[in-house]
Amino acid sequence: MKVLKMKSALPSLVFFVVMLKMAAVSFAQYVETMDERSPLKDLRKDYGLADDGGKANQSDVFQRAIDEMAAQGGGRIFVPRGTYLISGVWLRSNVHIRVEAGTVIRPYWPGGNKVSVFLMDAKPRGRKPTPEEERAFIENVSIRGVGGRFVVDYSDRPMEQGYSAVACRMVRNFLIADMDILDNFTPHCGIYLVPTNSSTKDVSQWPVSRPTRGTIRNCRIFNASPGYGLVQLHGASPFCSRIFTPKAA
């Protein structure tokens, strides 16, 4: 009778393990929070974004739109097809960047430190964060293509300089999708995920201390340094990726 009981319990045990695995995968992924009824702003029509072939730094246009949308509780920002020069643009909670397919974004880099085009982080700009601000995080954000992939292009930059398309740190529930990165074998990855740089030794009780519950989907990088590549994962908690990389030419 004992043997029969053990055999009859096996299917239930297998089902339980499978369900646990499915739950873990589900938990790891980005959960859609973008509402198609939420406010929508067009960067060109509403903020004067100029399709100038990437000549003038327009980072402030992006940042102003994001900050204003976040102050209203969040929404969608549409980037119409064109070529733009930006960098150091910080996302805010509940703001979703929708970039029209075929758009080319070139990183503005006046020289000096490594730069990222977009940053998913809550760190205050221009000053050292307070201990309380070090615990802050953003959530429910995305950068995605509309109608296909958009491009982040720094293929014409010197290979010794460091660029990245997206830097993720203190963020929860995020999506990066439909993006091609054109590199020039620079000593940096296209997308990187890193934990908090706080001096606090024990962050185990923080609700977020690194990129959490994110998905990277349908992204590619061309001419990446073999030591870096599309994504570098220095720290994240649960995380899912569906990444597509091209074959070497």
Side-chain angles (χ1 to χ4, degrees):
M1 293 297 293
K2 289 183 179 180
V3 173
L4 290 176
K5 286 183 179 180
M6 289 179 65
K7 286 186 176 180
S8 63
L10 184 59
S12 297
L13 178 60
V14 172
F15 176 78
F16 179 71
V17 171
V18 170
M19 290 302 293
L20 279 178
K21 289 183 177 180
M22 291 177 64
V25 171
S26 175
F27 178 74
Q29 298 182 27
Y30 167 77
V31 176
E32 186 62 83
T33 60
M34 184 180 70
D35 189 343
E36 293 296 338
R37 299 166 298 177
S38 63
L40 172 64
K41 293 292 185 180
D42 184 305
L43 276 187
R44 187 175 300 164
K45 294 179 181 178
D46 298 316
Y47 286 89
L49 183 71
D51 180 9
D52 63 353
K55 296 178 181 178
N57 177 23
Q58 299 188 84
S59 305
D60 289 346
V61 176
F62 277 74
Q63 194 64 64
R64 181 161 60 91
I66 291 171
D67 291 346
E68 290 181 2
M69 185 66 76
Q72 298 172 13
R76 298 164 294 155
I77 295 175
F78 177 65
V79 183
R81 183 170 180 168
T83 301
Y84 311 108
L85 184 70
I86 67 171
S87 70
V89 174
W90 296 69
L91 266 70
R92 295 289 178 253
S93 291
N94 305 309
V95 174
H96 301 274
I97 308 296
R98 297 170 57 81
V99 187
E100 187 174 6
T103 294
V104 177
I105 295 176
R106 302 183 186 279
Y108 172 67
W109 195 83
N113 297 324
K114 296 177 180 178
V115 299
S116 298
V117 175
F118 295 104
L119 298 102
M120 293 185 174
D121 195 1
K123 184 178 179 180
R125 298 188 299 273
R127 62 179 176 82
K128 184 178 180 180
T130 65
E132 187 62 32
E133 288 173 333
E134 287 185 338
R135 296 168 58 99
F137 61 92
I138 64 171
E139 60 185 344
N140 306 328
V141 296
S142 68
I143 304 169
R144 67 185 86 183
V146 177
R149 292 188 181 95
F150 67 98
V151 176
V152 176
D153 182 4
Y154 41 90
S155 60
D156 61 339
R157 305 299 176 89
M159 63 179 295
E160 68 272 9
Q161 296 176 355
Y163 311 94
S164 65
V166 187
C168 307
R169 192 184 297 272
M170 295 290 280
V171 57
R172 181 171 66 186
N173 199 41
F174 64 97
L175 171 68
I176 304 169
D178 315 311
M179 177 173 62
D180 278 347
I181 302 172
L182 307 185
D183 202 339
N184 185 32
F185 305 101
T186 59
H188 215 40
C189 52
I191 302 169
Y192 69 88
L193 296 88
V194 293
T196 176
N197 58 359
S198 170
S199 58
T200 302
K201 294 182 178 180
D202 183 7
V203 298
S204 61
Q205 301 305 310
W206 289 16
V208 170
S209 62
R210 63 203 65 223
T212 303
R213 293 211 314 264
T215 296
I216 297 175
R217 182 179 66 223
N218 198 27
C219 294
R220 305 181 298 183
I221 191 167
F222 296 81
N223 293 331
S225 167
Y228 294 88
L230 178 62
V231 178
Q232 279 200 337
L233 180 60
H234 297 279
S237 175
F239 173 73
C240 175
S241 65
R242 298 189 184 99
I243 299 168
F244 296 85
T245 55
K247 294 181 179 179

